[in-house]
Amino acid sequence: MSGRRRLDWLGLTPEPERELPTAVAALRASTRTGPTVRPARPRERTPEELAAAERRRVERLILRGSRHSWLRYLTEVTDLVTGVAAGSRSGDPAAALLAGEVVLDHHRMLIGLPGPGYGRTAAARTALESAVRALRTRTNTPTHTPVPTHTRTGGSR
């Protein structure tokens, strides 16, 4: 082992860093339940503060994390998304859909990177595909690339 840190897992699109923090913060906030045994806080954090904290977490993972810690984080996000899709967890379906699509795209692109990431995310991809289908139906949101319903051929107008 050379001692050099492998960073090939960072060679993906910027969507996870840009889009996940706000969506994940919304999902985490919506899954909190009523009164529990928690230390008293002076006030609840605003959605902006929650998103900023999630953004810092993602930045920390990218700057100081490893492939393993990044995939572990994405597993947490997958659990939030699939829980909302299944109805076993409360949450904004639109935020869950966005997070699910971003993580699913990320996991699909792992096929082009060295290492075991693509194989390790096979079960998550299957779960996310199902969750994204369910969430799209619930939110009536089209897919990223709409399929035309008819094709115009020939020169007639």
Side-chain angles (χ1 to χ4, degrees), residues 20-103:
L20 280 180
T22 302
V24 172
L27 291 174
R28 289 191 198 281
S30 65
T31 60
R32 292 184 181 155
T33 58
T36 59
V37 181
R38 287 190 283 179
R41 287 193 219 154
R43 64 176 177 83
E44 288 295 317
R45 292 175 16 179
T46 67
E48 293 79 19
E49 291 170 327
L50 293 170
E54 196 70 30
R55 186 168 287 104
R56 285 189 300 275
R57 181 175 182 203
V58 168
E59 287 173 1
R60 235 183 353 266
L61 283 167
I62 290 170
L63 295 174
R64 295 184 199 94
S66 64
R67 177 191 330 237
H68 181 72
S69 62
W70 178 243
L71 291 178
R72 190 171 50 239
Y73 172 76
L74 295 180
T75 298
E76 289 177 30
V77 176
T78 298
D79 291 344
L80 289 169
V81 169
T82 56
V84 171
S88 61
R89 168 179 273 134
S90 64
D92 176 13
L97 177 59
L98 174 62
E101 287 175 333
V102 169
V103 175

Side-chain angles (χ1 to χ4, degrees), residues 17 30-31 35 37 46 61 86 91 96 101 107 125 128 135 141 147 149:
E17 183 180 3
S30 65
T31 60
V37 181
T46 67
L61 283 167
E101 287 175 333
H107 285 354
R125 280 193 310 278
L128 284 166
L135 290 164
T141 303
V147 177
T149 55

